[in-house]
Amino acid sequence: MAKTAPEGIITALDIGTSKVSAMIAQAGEGGELTVLGTGQRESRGVKRGYIADMKATETAVREAVEQAERIAGFNIEDVWVSFSAGGLVSDIVKLEVDLGGHRVEQSDIDALLKAGRNAIDPGQRMVLHAQPMRYTLDGLGGVKEPKGLHADRLGVEIHVVATEGSPVRNLDLCVRSAHLETKSIVAAPVATGLACLSEEERELGVALVEIGAGITNVSVFANGVLTGLASIAMGASDITDDVASAFGTNRAQAERLKCFYGSANMSPRDNHDMIDVAPVRVDEDAEGTRITRAQLIAVIRQRLDRLVAEINKELRRLNFEDPVGRQVVLTGGGAELKGIADYAQQALGRPVRVGRARGLVALPDAHSGPGFATLAGLAMFAASNPVDLRALQPTQQMVSRPSTGALFQRLMTAFRTNY
């Protein structure tokens, strides 16, 4: 008989183009997160962040979660799931009401948030997040706790992240087909930013570039919140495919060449280092080839040049230009390529570092790299118990936190009624 899960359990599920990974963590009384179990399986049913094969993805989800359950020693019922496909949009909704100079009461805040919920208009999109970030008093911004202060006008800034509805429904259906409940679906850049960026970085301004297998998400943070999003349909798997095509080998061998011998930078020695490349078909007549490390790096650099050009274009579109010196943080599986931070720093002309998850206790080394930052961020997001205006019932004057297993149903209901 399966052991009952203890209190404070959080299960994160990251469904990516190359892998499906799961993490079971427990939140302590002091707010620390302890990892109890992790699982990983190859993803075969996801293309560019979108589910293309429901059965294959469902199988990978079930196996990854079962592996994490075996390590943790108990079964789980619900998961926090990441959404990393294209089409994500981020916006700040601002709302203000007159108070007449009296002290701000909780009822004033509740009424303002209820009005804020009704003011959100996603159009044809589905809202993933609707979180009050900060308040304003008589136009003064950055107020985190207005209760008890006097003001003529009370305002709120609500961070809204929305996307196309069908891919989200497919994601939820896939999770439920694996006999799991969807606690919440979280935009991947929101989770990844929480894991890789400090609060000060998000306040001062930083760009987070997550290089996944099939898609690269570019996110800009300022004043503590996500202010802009862009998705590029190119990622680390395109580098692998280029290597496979250029040297006549299969994807598995090309991935190995990229990881073990590949780099974003070239040195004179690379012209002399020889690498054996296995053919696509290993049979009696097939012969492998030998290439220099410089040839391999040249192929990798060609794709990186195209990718960084697109990243630079999106950063300009997102107004990430001034002040000069704003930092870029690289994460995702593609950020594990040797020398990529130095290469990107030179190509983008601004400081670049590789972002890894931090702040989790007992995180295995195999899951501590940039390729698992979203997974860790999901657990951290869940542990923060975020307030979400979608959980505000129309008949109530209170903002409630998401209840177990019901958040996605509220999201669907809100979407149908168009807020």
Side-chain angles (χ1 to χ4, degrees), residues 52-371:
D53 187 328
M54 184 70 70
K55 185 63 178 176
T57 308
E58 173 203 325
T59 300
V61 167
R62 189 171 59 251
E63 291 178 352
V65 171
E66 286 175 353
Q67 184 182 8
E69 287 176 330
R70 284 194 298 272
I71 296 173
F74 51 81
N75 292 342
I76 55 95
E77 296 179 353
D78 49 54
V79 293
W80 295 72
V81 189
S82 67
F83 180 81
S84 58
L88 287 167
V89 293
S90 177
D91 195 16
I92 303 294
V93 176
K94 298 181 180 180
L95 203 67
E96 197 173 60
V97 295
D98 289 326
L99 291 182
H102 71 74
R103 290 180 64 187
V104 178
E105 304 291 343
Q106 186 61 46
S107 59
D108 298 319
I109 298 173
D110 296 337
L112 177 65
L113 294 181
K114 182 182 177 182
R117 180 194 187 281
N118 296 331
I120 298 171
D121 181 13
Q124 299 300 312
R125 295 179 181 272
M126 178 181 286
V127 174
L128 291 181
H129 303 280
Q131 296 175 277
M133 302 304 299
R134 58 175 64 85
Y135 297 88
T136 62
L137 294 176
D138 297 331
L140 174 66
V143 179
K144 291 189 176 181
E145 181 50 71
K147 185 178 177 181
L149 299 175
H150 290 268
D152 291 316
R153 303 186 314 278
L154 173 65
V156 66
E157 297 178 358
I158 304 168
H159 181 217
V160 179
V161 179
T163 189
E164 300 161 355
S166 295
V168 178
R169 297 188 190 96
N170 290 336
L171 192 62
D172 175 66
L173 177 59
C174 178
V175 172
R176 287 191 286 112
S177 298
H179 308 293
L180 296 165
E181 288 294 324
T182 305
K183 189 96 178 260
S184 180
I185 294 180
V186 181
V190 173
T192 311
L194 198 61
C196 296
L197 305 175
S198 67
E199 185 176 349
E200 189 172 23
E201 283 178 323
R202 293 194 295 270
E203 284 288 341
L204 294 174
V206 65
L208 180 67
V209 178
E210 184 178 5
I211 308 174
I215 194 166
T216 296
N217 283 320
V218 181
S219 317
V220 172
F221 292 79
N223 300 318
V225 297
L226 179 65
T227 60
L229 279 167
S231 293
I232 302 168
M234 193 186 307
S237 64
D238 292 290
I239 299 176
T240 302
D241 290 350
D242 288 349
V243 172
S245 177
F247 303 118
T249 189
N250 55 47
R251 283 192 173 97
Q253 171 74 352
E255 180 71 16
R256 182 178 178 276
L257 292 174
K258 182 183 75 173
C259 294
F260 282 93
Y261 304 105
S263 176
N265 297 311
M266 195 178 298
S267 68
R269 181 182 175 83
D270 295 326
N271 290 295
H272 306 286
D273 291 343
M274 303 301 297
I275 304 170
D276 291 320
V277 181
V280 175
R281 294 182 58 186
V282 181
D283 52 41
E284 293 181 359
D285 298 327
E287 291 185 5
T289 58
R290 299 196 79 198
I291 61 172
T292 64
R293 192 163 182 258
Q295 288 176 287
L296 173 64
I297 294 174
V299 173
I300 293 172
R301 282 284 295 259
Q302 190 173 21
R303 175 63 66 170
L304 280 179
D305 289 344
R306 293 175 57 187
L307 178 58
V308 170
E310 291 297 320
I311 291 170
N312 218 2
K313 185 190 303 181
E314 295 298 342
L315 288 176
R316 287 195 299 270
R317 189 180 65 81
L318 296 171
N319 297 318
F320 190 75
E321 295 175 338
D322 296 321
V324 176
R326 274 184 170 177
Q327 190 176 39
V328 174
V329 177
L330 299 180
T331 188
E336 296 180 2
L337 180 68
K338 295 182 186 72
I340 194 167
D342 292 336
Y343 165 83
Q345 182 162 308
Q346 184 175 6
L348 296 173
R350 55 180 76 242
V352 175
R353 71 170 177 87
V354 174
R356 294 175 173 82
R358 48 195 176 189
L360 276 75
V361 180
L363 181 65
D365 290 341
H367 292 87
S368 62

Side-chain angles (χ1 to χ4, degrees), residues 126-128 390 407-416:
M126 178 181 286
V127 174
L128 291 181
R390 292 170 302 159
L407 185 56
F408 188 81
Q409 185 58 43
R410 292 196 186 109
L411 184 150
M412 294 292 290
T413 303
F415 177 70
R416 293 192 187 100

